[in-house]
Amino acid sequence: MKARVDKLLRKALAYHESGRVDQAEPLYSAVLEHDPNNADAWHLLSRISLQRGDWKAAAARVLQAIRMRPSIPAFHTSLGEILTAQGRPWEASLCYREALRLAPGHIPALVNLGNALQSQGQYRDACVAYWRAIQAQPDCAEAFSNLGNALRAEGRHDEALACYLEAFRLRPDQPEVAVNLAAAHLQLGHNTEAEEWARRALRSRPGLVQGLSNLSVALLNQQRPAEAEQAAREALAGAPSAAHLHSNLGSVLLQQKRFDEAEIACRRALKLQPGYPEATVNLGVALQFQDRLEEAAQEFAGVLRTRPAFAEAWTNLGTVRQSQGRNAEAAICFDEALARNPVHAKSHFCRSLSWLLAGRLAEGFAEYEWRWKVLSEMPRAWSRPRWDGSPLGGRRILLYAEQGLGDTVQFARYVPLVAARGGHVVVECQEAAAPLVRSVEGVAEVISQEAPLPEFEVQAALMSLPGIFGTSLDTIPARVPYMTVQPALVDGVRARLGEGSRLRAGLVWAGNREHANDRKRSIPIETLAPLQQIPGVEWYSLQAGEKAPAEIERAGRWMRGVLPEPCRVEDLAAAMSCLDLVISVDTMPAHLAGALGRAVWTLLPWAPDWRWLEDREDSPWYPTMRLFRQPRPGDWDGVAARVCGEVRELSIKASRSGTDEHE
């Protein structure tokens, strides 16, 4: 009889191990018909029930095995796995500990105990369990991989990466390990490596959902949103009920500025998993960019009630408060974020903008250096040491533009200070800005951003110079003009304009439509239409771009065109030099007029960019500039009415004095 039972059990086990559970199950039952007290058969039937998700039957069967042979550690481990599958990790850990009491080196119990502890947030204790498993079995790839997961959860990403690499060395055929390697590289900011590991996992197992998810994130971080969206949607096709995949798709859509679609994706994630923090934060961002600011704030605040240590949510709540013009509250949010995560780069960067807006320039520009941690790519100039402000002694220094044309114009003012430290100053900037940058005192050479880098010893970003020089509100280098335009270009514009006795004013009503904040800083041309009713003023369009003529035509042609097509920055500068007044929204021409020392009025949204500070009508950056702020969010009509009144007064003064020179 025993021989027959053993033969049946071996045959059933062979079927089971080959995945043919439907053939194994009746054989296990046959064993129990002959030997009802066969603990191994009860245990193996329990494993089949667990595979099928029948936890009640699985538990009943393994408990039978334990009653018959309570000293077998594998039985207690299986009971722990059943409890884990039911979402009862604390009870499961008791089972694993009992297995380890019986056999301290039992690998499955050690690994599963680590998993149970990790699911309860006890990452350090989990690491101990995995390490014990590795000591008992140094080639246990699963223990190395799971140890990597626990270390990653603790923020020990370099150590996690080392564990994953060892797991991959032991089991290169396991795509899950490649997935973990991709995730570790993502958290270290190694997006290219993350993409490579995700693709390796997918080559091993096409359609692997987590591989596609990691690939999507890696591509998104490399500013490849179309490819990222394709990977995100493929992942969703494989697991449509996975909340995190809907949230990931929301992130992809956010980067593509498809905010309404992002909102839908995030709400789907939250329907599947109510309260899911990452999806809630993404939803808040989608609402924020639809200007539904208070709704966005409520989403972020809701996350923080249940997860107060979530630095990203604190930071996003801060950016909402900034958009609402509540900068002091925003600063508190960024401080809260950094109290929870002192190295959270986005929080540092946002706090720098808050400090700069508040006029705390020395602190703000020092904190502004955190922007480099936010960028996905480092400037090519970083091949040489960063200049610290020390005497240059004739060394060649490369100063480079890193952001928009307006930033280049604004911070080129620091070149004379750098040259005064004894340096041969080479400026790398946008091709469009090069002619005017060449006119700045102290510039020895100008190269475009597309040109090969010249020889140089040290480097600095133009926007890092205020921090290097310790700039405060009282020490801003504000002597204007610090840029000049070729006299021949100015003479050409004057000839086209001809003689005139009326006030000549130029208008810029829109910025770069690709700018993240353009919807708030640009003004519909119709809003400025009342300006045409002011007597004694000739209006000129300083709006560059293909759409400008059509907009002027639609508005009734009350402005004259003065710019050639195509228009270069120096053409714009020449036109400004022939006008009495420039009125511009917050975009490059406002900076250019200020750098040229022209009278310029800058029209600002309710929550302006940091450089315009708070609650003042002048700018310490540009002595010839006046600021016109929205009296309430979105109120461009109020700005236009005030500008109309001021222009009318200016026109009256001009007609009385009989001169075209105005402050």
Side-chain angles (χ1 to χ4, degrees), residues 218 276 439 561:
Y276 179 30
S439 73

Side-chain angles (χ1 to χ4, degrees), residues 24-46:
E25 186 174 23
L27 293 179
Y28 289 140
S29 298
V31 168
L32 291 172
E33 287 178 14
H34 293 291
D35 181 7
N37 294 322
N38 191 300
D40 289 327
W42 282 113
H43 175 235
L44 292 166
L45 276 172
S46 169

Side-chain angles (χ1 to χ4, degrees), residues 452-484:
L453 283 177
E455 290 296 320
F456 61 97
E457 282 75 43
V458 290
Q459 50 79 20
L462 284 173
M463 296 186 72
S464 291
L465 294 175
I468 291 172
F469 284 100
T471 301
S472 68
L473 285 175
D474 296 326
T475 61
I476 291 173
R479 181 172 59 86
V480 294
Y482 57 85
M483 286 184 168
T484 57

Side-chain angles (χ1 to χ4, degrees), residues 359-406:
R360 297 165 61 180
L361 300 193
E363 298 161 279
F365 279 118
E367 189 86 341
Y368 193 59
E369 291 303 300
W370 278 88
R371 70 192 184 279
W372 303 117
K373 298 287 186 180
V374 178
L375 298 175
S376 57
E377 292 185 16
M378 294 300 102
R380 60 178 183 160
W382 282 25
S383 58
R384 294 290 185 275
R386 180 180 182 271
W387 183 51
D388 59 4
S390 58
L392 288 161
R395 287 181 295 168
R396 293 171 64 88
I397 179 170
L398 179 72
L399 304 179
Y400 58 93
E402 58 175 285
Q403 298 183 37
L405 282 170

Side-chain angles (χ1 to χ4, degrees), residues 115-137:
N115 296 344
L117 293 168
Q118 190 170 180
S119 71
Q120 297 172 78
Q122 300 176 44
Y123 302 116
R124 292 191 180 182
D125 291 340
C127 288
V128 172
Y130 295 134
W131 188 243
R132 285 175 59 193
I134 290 166
Q135 287 178 312
Q137 185 181 322

Side-chain angles (χ1 to χ4, degrees), residues 18-245:
S18 65
R20 296 153 70 182
V21 293
D22 290 337
Q23 292 168 276
E25 186 174 23
L27 293 179
Y28 289 140
S29 298
V31 168
L32 291 172
E33 287 178 14
H34 293 291
D35 181 7
N37 294 322
N38 191 300
D40 289 327
W42 282 113
H43 175 235
L44 292 166
L45 276 172
S46 169
R47 302 297 298 177
I48 290 177
S49 297
L50 177 61
Q51 284 177 261
R52 290 174 173 164
D54 187 350
W55 300 322
K56 185 176 180 180
R61 287 168 166 174
V62 79
L63 285 170
Q64 283 278 49
I66 290 171
R67 275 193 290 270
M68 293 163 189
R69 296 176 67 189
S71 62
I72 304 299
F75 297 172
H76 295 279
T77 300
S78 288
L79 179 57
E81 290 179 29
I82 294 163
L83 292 166
T84 296
Q86 292 177 290
R88 298 157 66 182
W90 182 79
E91 295 165 88
S93 65
L94 297 179
C95 296
Y96 301 137
R97 292 186 192 281
E98 176 61 17
L100 292 168
R101 185 188 68 80
L102 295 167
H106 186 57
I107 302 300
L110 285 167
V111 171
N112 279 309
L113 176 60
N115 296 344
L117 293 168
Q118 190 170 180
S119 71
Q120 297 172 78
Q122 300 176 44
Y123 302 116
R124 292 191 180 182
D125 291 340
C127 288
V128 172
Y130 295 134
W131 188 243
R132 285 175 59 193
I134 290 166
Q135 287 178 312
Q137 185 181 322
D139 63 349
C140 183
E142 184 181 8
F144 274 108
S145 185
N146 291 358
L147 175 58
N149 292 340
L151 290 167
R152 187 152 57 94
E154 282 208 303
R156 296 158 65 181
H157 302 300
D158 289 314
E159 295 170 81
L161 186 62
C163 288
Y164 293 143
L165 287 169
E166 179 61 14
F168 185 79
R169 186 188 69 79
L170 293 167
R171 292 295 304 274
D173 58 325
Q174 288 290 320
E176 290 81 6
V177 179
V179 164
N180 285 339
L181 278 161
H185 279 295
L186 281 175
Q187 289 185 297
L188 287 166
H190 304 160
N191 295 306
T192 303
E193 293 86 346
E195 179 187 353
E196 290 173 1
W197 281 107
R199 292 193 186 281
R200 185 177 295 196
L202 291 166
R203 283 194 295 272
S204 177
R205 189 182 299 169
L208 181 62
V209 168
Q210 200 53 43
L212 287 164
S213 177
N214 286 342
L215 176 61
S216 174
V217 175
L219 293 168
L220 187 65
N221 291 345
Q222 294 176 75
Q223 313 302 314
R224 294 155 64 185
E227 296 171 79
E229 181 180 354
Q230 181 180 349
R233 292 193 183 279
E234 286 181 29
L236 263 175
S241 61
H244 75 281
L245 297 180

Side-chain angles (χ1 to χ4, degrees), residues 2 4 53 67 81 119 121 162 210 215 240 302 319 337 346 405 421 606 657-658:
K2 186 177 185 306
R4 175 176 171 77
R67 275 193 290 270
E81 290 179 29
S119 71
Q210 200 53 43
L215 176 61
T319 62
K346 182 181 175 183
L405 282 170
R421 297 282 170 97
W606 171 254
S657 65

